[in-house]
Amino acid sequence: MDWITDPQIWISLVTLTALEIVLGIDNIIFISILAGKLPADQQAKARQTGLMLALITRILLLCSLAWMVKLTAPFLTLLGFALSGRDLILLGGGLFLIWKSTREIHEKLEGAEEHTGPGKVTPRFGAIIGQILLLDIVFSLDSVITAVGMANQLGVMIAAVVIALGVMLRYAGGVSDFVHQHPTLKMLALSFLLLIGVTLVAEGTHQHVNKGYIYFAMAFSFAVELLNLKVRKKSVPVPLHETQP
């Protein structure tokens, strides 16, 4: 019980929890956009399921630190480029995020009717959860690596992840509603995901990108858009094409 009186543990817990929440914002945005494709009565369930899967994924990764170490060890060298399991996950996840974000932007602005035909099928709950789970793995990998680098005790790491996911569960609905009510914010969110996808690809090819610059750019553009919304609150928003349940 010495940890209760150890200020270093509490400092690392608070700091890591805050970082996990920041790192989880992009996860919430992606889950909200995907869940928005489902009928209204399934959207909240999809968000909650997606975040709970993210929690389980992160705890499992934290409990398998020995495997995580092996995951960062190169297992293949091509033309002088050392490739590890982490590199493959980041590359695959980044490319998927770029493809998915680009496709979502196209469907919201151009509409999906021209290439889906009149017999368009509403996305199924299981298919949406599958896509969420795939990205949860990528986002969880980034989150867990951050946790391992900042804290030495497994209990602190798991506690920070649980608290952060609890906060995300509490506010995911509000974030989702806010994004869906403002079409320009939805486009901005998809642009953020596109930027994160490029960052993941860069990390997967050993090109380090300071995430501080990424998050500053996202925060700045979000603040500018909030000002735009306030100035133009009486204007009619641009209608986006939405999936009809």
Side-chain angles (χ1 to χ4, degrees):
M1 300 292 289
D2 294 339
W3 62 270
I4 295 180
T5 57
D6 189 346
Q8 292 297 325
I9 288 182
W10 288 103
I11 291 172
S12 63
L13 175 61
V14 172
T15 305
L16 185 55
T17 300
L19 271 176
E20 291 293 324
I21 292 173
V22 171
L23 290 172
I25 291 174
D26 46 15
N27 206 356
I28 290 180
I29 292 172
F30 186 80
I31 289 174
S32 298
I33 291 174
L34 282 181
K37 290 176 165 290
L38 293 169
D41 59 338
Q42 296 183 4
Q43 292 179 13
K45 182 180 178 182
R47 288 195 301 267
Q48 294 170 0
T49 303
L51 288 173
M52 291 304 297
L53 287 172
L55 175 61
I56 293 171
T57 302
R58 293 179 191 190
I59 290 178
L60 288 176
L61 286 174
L62 284 171
C63 292
S64 57
L65 293 180
W67 178 76
M68 286 285 292
V69 172
K70 292 180 181 178
L71 192 64
T72 58
F75 68 90
L76 180 65
T77 302
L78 291 174
L79 302 174
F81 182 81
L83 200 63
S84 67
R86 174 179 177 270
D87 295 334
L88 288 177
I89 293 175
L90 291 178
L91 279 170
L95 291 173
F96 176 79
L97 200 52
I98 292 172
W99 169 78
K100 188 66 179 176
S101 302
T102 304
R103 187 180 178 200
E104 288 291 327
I105 291 173
H106 173 80
E107 290 185 358
K108 298 301 182 189
L109 295 178
E110 299 289 341
E113 291 80 8
E114 65 233 36
H115 54 77
T116 55
K120 183 173 60 175
V121 179
T122 302
R124 287 194 240 169
F125 185 85
I128 295 296
I129 293 299
Q131 293 181 48
I132 291 174
L133 179 59
L134 178 62
L135 263 297
D136 275 343
I137 295 173
V138 178
F139 288 133
S140 295
L141 187 67
D142 191 26
S143 173
V144 167
I145 290 173
T146 301
V148 172
M150 288 197 60
N152 296 321
Q153 297 194 10
L154 180 61
V156 173
M157 293 184 246
I158 292 179
V161 167
V162 171
I163 295 172
L165 263 296
V167 172
M168 290 160 62
L169 275 171
R170 172 65 179 81
Y171 294 103
V175 171
S176 177
D177 292 341
F178 188 65
V179 169
H180 286 294
Q181 286 170 7
H182 301 283
T184 53
L185 276 180
K186 187 177 289 187
M187 289 297 101
L188 191 61
L190 287 169
S191 300
F192 288 166
L193 294 175
L194 195 61
L195 180 61
I196 292 168
V198 173
T199 304
L200 291 176
V201 171
E203 293 281 351
T205 55
H206 302 173
Q207 304 298 316
H208 176 67
V209 179
N210 191 328
K211 290 185 174 61
Y213 296 121
I214 302 297
Y215 287 114
F216 172 78
M218 292 168 62
F220 181 77
S221 58
F222 178 68
V224 171
E225 182 55 28
L226 288 181
L227 290 175
N228 286 332
L229 290 175
K230 186 175 182 180
V231 170
R232 300 180 175 88
K233 58 183 177 181
K234 293 184 179 181
S235 62
V236 179
V238 177
L240 299 179
H241 294 269
E242 300 289 352
T243 302
Q244 298 296 327

